[in-house]
Amino acid sequence: QVQLVESGGDLVQAGGSLRLSCAASGSIFSINTMGWYRQAPGRQRELVALITSSGGTDYADSVKGRFTISRDNAKNTVYLQMNSLKPEDTAVYYCNRAPALRAWSESWGQGTRVTVSS
């Protein structure tokens, strides 16, 4: 079972930046497409960014141009740099394998909370 531990969430003003980190256990991390998901209150969890094992990326339209996903396979870590944050980015952020249908169901962590004030 892969364990995923997210960190870096905080309270930030609109227009600010945060960098989230996700540390993964296990040697299979480097061969998998990883993603950052978020779940806002009263809403379903959504995939906002993914990165393939070779470094290819894709983003949800709502974060394109503002968020950047990256990974360090040597450290088994995936990052999400979030710039120009908006109140609608407020959510709990999680990492897991992507896309959602391939997520490790038993590996959802506690997530890290991002709150953007207006």
Side-chain angles (χ1 to χ4, degrees):
Q1 179 179 343
V2 176
Q3 291 188 324
L4 303 166
V5 180
E6 302 91 350
S7 62
D10 206 347
L11 170 64
V12 63
Q13 288 188 334
S17 298
L18 283 174
R19 189 193 195 202
L20 307 184
S21 299
C22 171
S25 64
S27 59
I28 62 173
F29 171 84
S30 64
I31 66 173
N32 284 284
T33 294
M34 297 297 296
W36 279 98
Y37 300 77
R38 68 184 181 188
Q39 186 166 21
R43 304 189 66 175
Q44 288 190 330
R45 186 161 48 204
E46 62 173 339
L47 177 65
V48 297
L50 66 81
I51 184 166
T52 68
S53 58
S54 58
T57 60
D58 198 12
Y59 299 91
D61 288 343
S62 59
V63 307
K64 199 169 293 185
R66 300 188 297 121
F67 290 10
T68 302
I69 189 171
S70 61
R71 68 191 298 163
D72 185 337
N73 288 336
K75 296 182 178 180
N76 277 9
T77 301
V78 61
Y79 304 98
L80 186 68
Q81 178 66 44
M82 305 188 297
N83 298 329
S84 302
L85 283 162
K86 304 176 181 180
E88 51 263 44
D89 295 318
T90 294
V92 179
Y93 285 72
Y94 305 85
C95 69
N96 207 317
R97 191 165 61 173
L101 287 177
R102 289 182 52 81
W104 295 300
S105 58
E106 297 183 355
S107 299
W108 291 105
Q110 296 297 310
T112 187
R113 184 174 299 275
V114 173
T115 304
V116 185
S117 63
S118 57

